[in-house]
């Protein structure tokens, strides 16, 4: 709290995080943001890498987190025999329960991956992205974490003092070249111009070598549809094609 009060941003990072490069190159400096951090399960924030901005909102928010942690600690001490899951009483839960009250920035999950997306799903590797910070979570036990880091050549030392690594910690590129199978489903009716804009956008998108399948479904006019609606619908059908005789105009 003293760090925030003196005007410096406050960074909290778990000990099982590996820094491959300077993460501050990817941090937003907008003062309107109260907190930013590693993405957890798409919409939540992970406690593995959290940056609180030294603003009035940031200081107020972190006071609430400290109070929440103090209350949780008191609960743990008084509920020793309780079957309540301890993970429900962590700093991460304190933060996520209050995210709706502040402006949050979730960091790029490819640059700040968690243990599952990096070691198991290997999502950054498939995109050819070298992460800035890898959180070594999604595995239980210190020994298991150490062995996994060693298997990926991401551990400089297992002693109390790390040896100097002149060329940085080696990084294993993903050895498999299997692309991700994507399927895009488009639902349309009678708005041809909107459909054309969408399809043009899909055509110009860089899918990074992944395989993409496109499904387009056209809704049929209801019996109550006006003549104008039906004519507009027929234009969409003519544009996309119908059967072997009516080839699609979309290329």
């Amino acid at each position: 709290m003293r760090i925030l009060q003196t005007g410096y941003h406050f960074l909290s990072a778990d000990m099982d995080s590996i820094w491959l490069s300077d993460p501050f190159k990817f941090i937003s400096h907008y003062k309107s943001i109260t907190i930013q951090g590693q993405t957890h399960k798409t919409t939540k924030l992970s406690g593995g890498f959290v940056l609180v901005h030294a603003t009035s909102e940031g200081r107020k928010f972190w006071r609430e987190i400290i109070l929440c942690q103090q209350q949780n600690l008191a609960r743990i001490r008084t509920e020793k025999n309780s079957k309540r899951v301890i993970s429900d009483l962590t700093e991460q839960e304190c933060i996520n329960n209050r995210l709706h009250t502040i402006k949050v920035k979730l960091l790029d999950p490819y640059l700040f991956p968690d243990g599952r997306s990096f070691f198991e799903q290997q999502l950054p590797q498939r995109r050819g992205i070298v992460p800035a910070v890898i959180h070594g979570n999604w595995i239980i036990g210190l020994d298991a974490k150490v062995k996994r880091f060693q298997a990926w050549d991401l551990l400089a030392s297992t002693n109390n003092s790390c040896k100097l690594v002149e060329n940085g910690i080696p990084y294993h590129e993903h050895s498999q070249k299997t692309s991700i199978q994507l399927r895009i489903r488009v639902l349309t009716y009678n708005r041809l111009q909107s459909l054309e804009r969408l399809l043009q956008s899909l055509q110009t998108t860089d899918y990074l070598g992944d395989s993409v399948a496109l499904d387009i479904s056209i809704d049929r006019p209801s019996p109550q549809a006006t003549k104008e609606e039906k004519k507009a619908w027929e234009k969409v059908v003519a544009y996309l094609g119908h059967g072997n005789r009516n080839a699609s105009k979309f290329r």
Side-chain angles (χ1 to χ4, degrees), residues 38-42 46 107-139 148-149 152 154 171-174 180:
Q38 185 186 53
T39 304
H40 176 64
K41 295 183 178 179
T42 308
S46 169
L107 298 173
D108 188 328
Y110 295 107
L111 291 171
F112 296 84
D114 58 27
R116 182 167 179 258
S117 63
F118 181 83
F119 295 107
E120 297 177 18
Q121 298 173 322
Q122 301 186 10
L123 299 182
Q125 297 92 312
R126 293 182 179 184
R127 292 290 189 273
I129 297 174
V130 178
V133 177
I134 305 169
H135 190 188
N137 58 352
W138 286 87
I139 193 170
R148 186 171 65 176
F149 282 140
W152 282 75
L154 289 173
Y171 173 77
H172 277 183
E173 294 288 350
H174 180 54
I180 296 176

Side-chain angles (χ1 to χ4, degrees), residues 58-114:
R59 289 187 285 270
K60 177 183 176 183
F61 177 76
W62 204 246
R63 285 193 196 97
E64 294 177 357
I65 300 304
I66 293 174
L67 178 60
C68 175
Q69 289 182 289
Q70 291 173 343
Q71 293 172 343
N72 286 343
L73 180 59
R75 289 179 188 174
I76 293 173
R77 288 172 175 171
T78 57
E79 301 175 6
K80 291 183 178 180
N81 298 323
S82 174
K83 295 182 179 180
R84 184 167 183 172
V85 181
I86 298 297
S87 60
D88 293 339
L89 303 174
T90 61
E91 172 191 298
Q92 180 173 325
E93 290 305 309
C94 288
I95 292 173
N96 283 308
N97 289 338
R98 291 163 176 77
L99 288 186
H100 64 282
T101 64
I102 58 173
K103 186 169 183 179
V104 183
K105 175 179 172 56
L106 296 177
L107 298 173
D108 188 328
Y110 295 107
L111 291 171
F112 296 84
D114 58 27

Side-chain angles (χ1 to χ4, degrees), residues 6-90:
T6 55
Y8 291 97
H9 299 330
F10 171 69
L11 173 64
S12 172
D14 282 0
M15 292 294 291
D16 60 353
S17 294
I18 296 292
W19 293 32
L20 296 179
S21 63
D22 181 7
F24 295 101
K25 296 185 295 184
F26 311 103
I27 298 295
S28 174
H29 297 281
Y30 287 111
K31 293 183 179 180
S32 59
I33 297 174
T34 303
I35 186 172
Q36 50 189 318
Q38 185 186 53
T39 304
H40 176 64
K41 295 183 178 179
T42 308
T43 59
K44 293 186 177 182
L45 192 144
S46 169
F49 189 93
V50 176
L51 182 71
V52 184
H53 287 214
T55 61
S56 57
E57 285 295 322
R59 289 187 285 270
K60 177 183 176 183
F61 177 76
W62 204 246
R63 285 193 196 97
E64 294 177 357
I65 300 304
I66 293 174
L67 178 60
C68 175
Q69 289 182 289
Q70 291 173 343
Q71 293 172 343
N72 286 343
L73 180 59
R75 289 179 188 174
I76 293 173
R77 288 172 175 171
T78 57
E79 301 175 6
K80 291 183 178 180
N81 298 323
S82 174
K83 295 182 179 180
R84 184 167 183 172
V85 181
I86 298 297
S87 60
D88 293 339
L89 303 174
T90 61

